[in-house]
Amino acid sequence: MSSAQQLLLTALRCDIDNLDHLATTSEIVGDISHFIHRLQRERGASTIYLASKGKRFSTRRKEYLKHSQEAETVMRQRLETLTEEARPQAAARLLRRIAAVWLALDDLDTLRQAIDSFSISPDAATQAFNHLISGLLAIVFEAADTSADPDITRTLVAIFHLMQGKELAGQERACGAFGFTHGHFDESHRELLNRLVHDQQRCFDTFVEFASPEAQLAWQQVLSQQTLAGINQLREVACQHARQETHADNTLGETWYELTTLRIDNIKAIEDTLNTQLTALCHRKIAHVRATLEQAKIPPSQSPLPPCEQLLALSDRQPLGDLTASALTSPLGRSLIELAHAQSSHLQGLSDELENTRKALRERKLIERAKGLIMAYQAMTEEEAYRFLRKTSMDQSKSMADMAQSILDLSVMLKHKEQKHTR
């Protein structure tokens, strides 16, 4: 066997090792997905349990806690496969992420004991769950970032954004459950609710961009319009509580929880399908490379190429343009690109921050001027004028700045009409 053929066989074996690692990673992603889903349920139930002082969801929380522990055990066993046989292909960043999460998992029992004894607030408990789930999602992100196969990377990116969007939906469930059970949404919780709705939609849009046509079709079909309508109605109710101190029907917390849970479970069904497709994709690629390896072991039957034609064949197989493209995607090339991108992002961030500050000042001036007009023409106090402006902007699906500009434009038109009428 020639040295060239030996090198080719070695390269194919490296490909198989890489794909084996990706297959293991995809199975870890599936276990993390399952564990996160269980933790999300436990988080929502714990929020209602704490907000109701233990009067609601006591039994259900214990059930969800048991499910979380079972999923954690399975996930830990899978993660241990990386510690037992950590190959060079398992990037250091991925292993560090797993190590950090492993340490955080050891504090999970402490959090649960604090919930049992009511020595932690609903918001603080939610934040603790959020941090743990964020760490678990970071493992999925690193898995996508360390993948060298474009098809597998694309699938991992789709899964990551779907999981991230589902996590934001879970945070929305916990936030809404607290507000409805507590009987009141303060300003910070209303703002959080609106931000979570916006951010999860951005994640779902990215998921659709990277998902396969089959996954996109499943996404369109699995979400019940009736469920979404019910959730949107309760979202509006939460915003309306801005004008109310309390509301008597705090059983809305359970209604909200059931509706949002149904939606999250539907998203989880798509997530499970994607994880199954990812595992199948990894094994198909492994089988293909193994077949190529077996074929490469067979000595070539054709006569060797005439002198100089090996050089010509080499240039045919790897055109210079392809070499340049490969250099851009190599680890060194990616590092240089990432460095330049980081510097550019830093400068752009400073510019954006300055522009955002200027924009905020302009919008504040518009809102203050519009409030003055409302106070003058409607005989309202400053607080009443602000609430009126905010409600009008929500009713018309506009930002407060845009609504303020519309009021100012209208006042100018009315002044012109008055002047013409006086003449």
Side-chain angles (χ1 to χ4, degrees):
M1 182 181 294
S2 67
S3 297
Q5 192 175 10
Q6 288 178 348
L7 288 171
L8 175 60
L9 295 178
T10 301
L12 289 170
R13 292 189 183 101
C14 288
D15 286 340
I16 292 173
D17 285 342
N18 287 331
L19 288 169
D20 280 336
H21 173 68
L22 282 175
T24 300
T25 303
S26 69
E27 292 170 347
I28 290 173
V29 168
D31 289 335
I32 290 175
S33 165
H34 187 63
F35 180 47
I36 287 177
H37 189 66
R38 297 301 187 187
L39 276 180
Q40 288 167 338
R41 282 193 169 187
E42 182 184 350
R43 175 182 58 194
S46 298
T47 300
I48 296 179
Y49 177 77
L50 287 171
S52 66
K53 305 298 183 183
K55 296 177 182 178
R56 290 195 169 93
F57 273 42
S58 176
T59 302
R60 190 180 300 194
R61 174 179 167 267
K62 291 179 181 178
E63 177 186 353
Y64 290 165
L65 190 153
K66 180 183 177 183
H67 293 164
S68 294
Q69 291 173 330
E70 292 171 351
E72 179 185 352
T73 299
V74 173
M75 185 194 69
R76 280 180 180 267
Q77 291 173 349
R78 185 84 69 180
L79 290 177
E80 285 175 354
T81 61
L82 288 180
T83 62
E84 292 170 356
E85 190 178 352
R87 297 173 181 151
Q89 292 81 8
R93 287 187 306 176
L94 177 61
L95 295 178
R96 288 193 184 97
R97 290 285 190 186
I98 294 174
V101 170
W102 204 289
L103 292 173
L105 286 173
D106 293 338
D107 288 335
L108 191 52
D109 285 339
T110 304
L111 171 62
R112 288 164 174 160
Q113 290 169 9
I115 295 172
D116 286 333
S117 60
F118 298 100
S119 59
I120 188 171
S121 69
D123 280 340
T126 298
Q127 285 299 319
F129 278 111
N130 291 354
H131 287 311
L132 176 56
I133 294 174
S134 176
L136 291 165
L137 285 172
I139 296 176
V140 180
F141 174 81
E142 292 297 347
D145 195 43
T146 56
S147 170
D149 184 278
D151 295 329
I152 294 175
T153 300
R154 189 176 184 87
T155 305
L156 279 168
V157 169
I159 291 174
F160 170 73
H161 282 90
L162 183 64
M163 291 176 68
Q164 190 177 40
K166 185 169 74 70
E167 163 56 10
L168 293 170
Q171 292 184 22
E172 182 194 8
R173 173 175 61 185
C175 178
F178 170 76
F180 285 120
T181 303
H182 184 63
H184 172 65
F185 282 86
D186 57 25
E187 186 66 27
S188 62
H189 283 88
R190 285 192 301 275
E191 290 179 357
L192 175 60
L193 202 66
N194 289 328
R195 187 170 70 249
L196 289 170
V197 172
H198 175 269
D199 289 347
Q200 65 185 275
Q201 186 58 51
R202 177 172 49 82
C203 290
F204 292 144
D205 289 342
T206 306
F207 153 72
V208 171
E209 180 182 351
F210 284 88
S212 64
E214 295 80 8
Q216 294 177 14
L217 181 61
W219 174 255
Q220 295 171 1
Q221 294 176 344
V222 76
L223 298 179
S224 167
Q225 294 302 316
Q226 184 177 0
T227 301
L228 290 176
I231 292 173
N232 288 330
Q233 184 177 359
L234 287 176
R235 285 170 176 169
E236 293 177 1
V237 171
C239 292
Q240 290 170 1
H241 291 160
R243 302 187 300 276
Q244 302 174 6
E245 289 300 321
T246 58
H247 60 92
D249 187 12
N250 55 13
T251 59
L252 283 179
E254 296 187 25
T255 303
W256 165 266
Y257 185 88
E258 298 302 334
L259 284 173
T260 51
T261 296
L262 185 59
R263 175 182 178 232
I264 291 171
D265 287 348
N266 287 337
I267 297 173
K268 181 62 168 64
I270 300 176
E271 197 176 292
D272 290 341
T273 301
L274 281 176
N275 286 324
T276 301
Q277 291 176 352
L278 174 62
T279 302
L281 176 63
C282 289
H283 288 295
R284 283 200 306 270
K285 286 183 174 288
I286 291 172
H288 175 73
V289 177
R290 288 189 185 279
T292 305
L293 176 63
E294 294 302 318
Q295 185 66 30
K297 291 178 181 178
I298 303 174
S301 57
Q302 68 272 19
S303 59
L305 293 173
C308 296
E309 290 199 13
Q310 288 284 2
L311 296 175
L312 296 175
L314 177 63
S315 63
D316 289 340
R317 292 171 192 156
Q318 189 74 26
L320 189 57
D322 290 346
L323 286 172
T324 303
S326 298
L328 293 175
T329 58
S330 67
L332 175 60
R334 286 178 60 187
S335 298
L336 294 174
I337 291 172
E338 288 172 0
L339 177 60
H341 180 69
Q343 292 173 336
S344 175
S345 297
H346 178 66
L347 294 175
Q348 185 63 45
L350 293 176
S351 176
D352 291 344
E353 185 177 351
L354 180 59
E355 179 57 31
N356 289 336
T357 302
R358 291 171 177 168
K359 182 180 178 183
L361 289 173
R362 290 195 299 268
E363 290 180 348
R364 185 177 299 176
K365 290 179 180 179
L366 286 174
I367 293 172
E368 290 299 321
R369 289 173 58 193
K371 276 169 50 181
L373 285 173
I374 296 171
M375 291 166 64
Y377 286 97
Q378 300 293 328
M380 293 182 177
T381 65
E382 183 178 358
E383 183 178 356
E384 290 172 341
Y386 178 79
R387 289 181 178 179
F388 175 81
L389 179 59
R390 182 172 58 187
K391 178 184 182 304
T392 306
S393 63
M394 290 174 59
D395 291 343
Q396 298 190 19
S397 299
K398 290 184 177 181
S399 67
M400 289 185 66
D402 289 340
M403 194 68 241
Q405 184 64 61
S406 298
I407 292 174
L408 293 173
D409 293 341
L410 182 60
S411 69
V412 172
M413 292 174 57
L414 292 175
K415 285 181 181 179
H416 286 324
K417 287 186 178 181
E418 288 179 359
Q419 290 172 357
K420 288 182 180 181
H421 182 70
T422 303
R423 293 174 184 172

